[in-house]
Amino acid sequence: MASAHDRAVLQAIFNPNTPFGDNSDLNQTETLDDDDSGFDTGLLKQVKALELQGVSAAEAGDLQGALQLFSQAIEILPQRASAYNNRAQALRLRGDTAGALEDLDRAVALSGGRGRTARQSLVQRGLLRRLSDQEADARADFEKAAALGSEFARKQAVILNPYAALCNKMLSEVINKLRNPDQQKMFIFSMLYLEDEHTA
């Protein structure tokens, strides 16, 4: 069985947009395993083997081979979400954003928004939506993935929160004013003036 460090390395290789150290995926594998109980065990074993081969092909730079392997897995068990998520990653690496989003939509729907595949699909779809300036949809995906335990998604959801952005902007302006001596005097004067107004 792979160690937590080995899984973190594989996560970093195959999911380059998630930061190394987003260990929530590694720590919750028991509670977030996908529910594969409804699938034939023989077919499931075959599909998992194809997906592992696809991941290896993608890691070796053979994206076309990876896509073929993931597509074979989908043909065998078209109602299983994992291969759609994996194929979406390979499509994204090839620059096919529309195809990746289509597969991610399918993975999220098939997973029912639960389990590891749902979390990975939501993070990946959130990133693609953010790159397409669909910030509200991206934030919704990150919030759902955060609820499933992704620390990376939680941070992204905070960044995309309009109230947090406004507070950050105001805080940045205050800090910049304090760094500038002339602005600092004006800032202190205005704060004293406001205090005097409230006490009068």
Side-chain angles (χ1 to χ4, degrees):
M1 182 168 199
S3 71
H5 182 266
D6 293 341
R7 291 193 304 269
V9 170
L10 288 173
Q11 175 78 2
I13 291 170
F14 203 57
N15 295 304
N17 288 329
T18 55
F20 191 84
D22 183 10
N23 290 330
S24 57
D25 184 54
L26 304 175
N27 295 333
Q28 297 187 14
T29 52
E30 309 310 323
T31 58
L32 270 182
D33 278 344
D34 295 328
D35 182 12
D36 288 333
S37 60
F39 299 114
D40 175 89
T41 54
L43 294 178
L44 186 60
K45 186 176 179 181
Q46 185 180 355
V47 163
K48 285 183 176 183
L50 286 168
E51 287 186 64
L52 284 174
Q53 291 171 28
V55 169
S56 295
E59 290 171 353
D62 181 10
L63 294 178
Q64 186 58 40
L67 287 170
Q68 290 173 350
L69 289 161
F70 295 139
S71 294
Q72 286 176 28
I74 289 169
E75 286 176 25
I76 295 168
L77 287 178
Q79 297 305 310
R80 187 167 183 267
S82 180
Y84 290 97
N85 176 62
N86 287 326
R87 187 170 72 177
Q89 293 179 47
L91 288 168
R92 178 178 51 86
L93 291 170
R94 283 190 65 186
D96 183 0
T97 302
L101 283 169
E102 189 176 314
D103 273 359
L104 291 170
D105 289 343
R106 188 78 172 138
V108 171
L110 288 173
S111 70
R114 293 179 303 277
R116 189 178 338 153
T117 298
R119 183 177 60 210
Q120 291 172 345
S121 299
L122 287 163
V123 168
Q124 195 174 182
R125 189 172 73 178
L127 288 167
L128 291 177
R129 285 177 165 176
R130 187 169 184 199
L131 289 172
S132 301
D133 293 324
Q134 300 172 11
E135 292 201 352
D137 291 335
R139 188 175 75 245
D141 280 346
F142 289 137
E143 287 171 353
K144 290 174 188 171
L148 293 172
S150 172
E151 182 64 20
F152 174 75
R154 186 191 64 75
K155 290 175 184 174
Q156 293 301 308
V158 168
I159 289 168
L160 290 174
N161 182 320
Y163 298 110
L166 180 61
C167 289
N168 286 338
K169 181 181 177 194
M170 289 169 44
L171 183 61
S172 177
E173 288 173 2
V174 168
I175 290 171
N176 286 333
K177 286 178 182 177
L178 290 173
R179 286 184 182 151
N180 181 335
D182 293 331
Q183 290 286 339
Q184 184 177 11
K185 290 175 190 171
M186 290 299 295
F187 177 73
I188 292 171
F189 176 76
S190 65
M191 294 304 285
L192 291 172
Y193 177 76
L194 288 173
E195 186 176 322
D196 287 342
E197 286 290 307
H198 287 295
T199 56

